[in-house]
Amino acid sequence: MTDIFDTHAHYCSRQFEPDRDALMQALPAAGVTGVLECATHSGDAPRVLALAHKYPFVHAALGIHPESLGEENAPTVAVYHGDWRAELAAMRPLFDDPAVAAVGEIGLDHHWPLPAQEQYDLFEAQLRLAAELDLPVSVHDREAHAETYELLKKYKPRGVLHCYSGSAEDAAWLVDQGMCLGFGGAVTYKGAKRAAKVLAAIPHEAAVLETDCPYMSPTPVRGKRNDSRNIAHVAEYIGTLWEMPAQQVLTLTAANARRVFGV
């Protein structure tokens, strides 16, 4: 299969240390034509940019992930002692790099015991930055629909709500507002009925595919380290819902990704 566009990847993860370059060099031959590589804090932002500079099919998203507020090893805590405003100000010049295609990964996470108001303020500040820079966003929303949607309604960014886990009803207004919804390996799992309903309800032009690699490998490779090539399995599954060949799903969603990220 060809024209695989992965709209959410973390190839800078330590899990790829042993073979990162070999894997990145192998992706184009496997049909991968685009990857949005997402930073999670100021520590990996330079690595994300370096990867985008080295491989023309890789595009960078820079931002501070909400989980960075609670990770002792993340610069947000280890260097900036929780002062994300200082960290974001220090990162600001990096957004001038032409390899930057989005502000991300940003958002809210209520699954972990993270400071609710701080992550809300951090997300809002980065939505403002995206508006200032006229960049799309890659949004993380884990068990935080109400607050995430409140800010998305307020700022109306363009971009992707990654690993979409909301309802078909909420998908409708998000799409009407201009957001695309990201779908990855989780849609292939048994019990993923909500995602199937969303995929059946939204316009095909509003869907993009992703891995969140090294995590969230689809069936039949669940449990193994994920990479962009596995999007082919996701396309096969979505093809059964949309009643079209997997290749058509890939071509359509890749076009959607290029449109939303302007690449």
Side-chain angles (χ1 to χ4, degrees), residues 66-163:
E67 286 181 28
S68 295
L69 292 168
E71 293 178 350
E72 290 183 5
N73 294 331
T76 317
V77 176
V79 177
Y80 293 94
H81 311 292
D83 186 357
W84 58 262
R85 291 171 180 84
E87 182 179 18
L88 194 59
M91 289 174 67
R92 176 61 181 81
L94 299 178
F95 287 92
D96 295 331
D97 192 303
V100 176
V103 177
E105 177 178 1
I106 64 175
L108 299 173
D109 193 311
H110 290 170
H111 179 76
W112 302 109
L114 299 164
Q117 190 60 50
E118 282 298 291
Q119 53 170 319
Y120 185 95
D121 293 345
L122 170 61
F123 183 29
E124 184 168 28
Q126 293 182 103
L127 287 172
R128 284 180 181 151
L129 177 62
E132 174 196 330
L133 299 174
D134 192 26
L135 283 173
V137 293
S138 182
V139 176
H140 173 99
D141 167 18
R142 190 174 189 190
E143 299 173 21
H145 293 335
E147 295 88 345
T148 300
Y149 295 166
E150 178 183 302
L151 286 172
L152 293 180
K153 284 177 178 175
K154 180 176 180 180
Y155 289 95
K156 295 181 172 58
R158 70 187 192 279
V160 173
L161 194 49
H162 121 81
C163 198

Side-chain angles (χ1 to χ4, degrees), residues 155-252:
Y155 289 95
K156 295 181 172 58
R158 70 187 192 279
V160 173
L161 194 49
H162 121 81
C163 198
Y164 183 70
S165 59
S167 66
E169 291 76 19
D170 284 323
W173 70 259
L174 284 161
V175 167
D176 284 345
Q177 192 173 281
M179 290 290 284
C180 283
L181 308 180
F183 299 94
V187 305
T188 68
Y189 302 164
K190 286 182 180 177
K193 294 176 182 176
R194 176 177 271 203
K197 287 181 180 176
V198 173
L199 281 159
I202 62 173
H204 295 168
E205 291 71 27
V208 294
L209 305 185
E210 61 174 53
T211 56
D212 202 17
C213 66
Y215 314 108
M216 304 284 285
S217 291
T219 305
V221 290
R222 189 173 183 180
K224 297 180 180 178
R225 187 185 71 176
N226 203 7
D227 69 59
S228 303
R229 296 172 292 190
N230 291 329
I231 283 178
H233 298 298
V234 179
E236 290 274 7
Y237 171 75
I238 293 176
T240 65
L241 300 177
W242 287 357
E243 298 181 344
M244 66 173 66
Q247 182 58 63
Q248 191 175 345
V249 174
L250 291 174
T251 301
L252 196 157

Side-chain angles (χ1 to χ4, degrees), residues 29-40:
V32 178
T33 55
V35 170
L36 187 75
E37 173 72 7
C38 299
T40 56

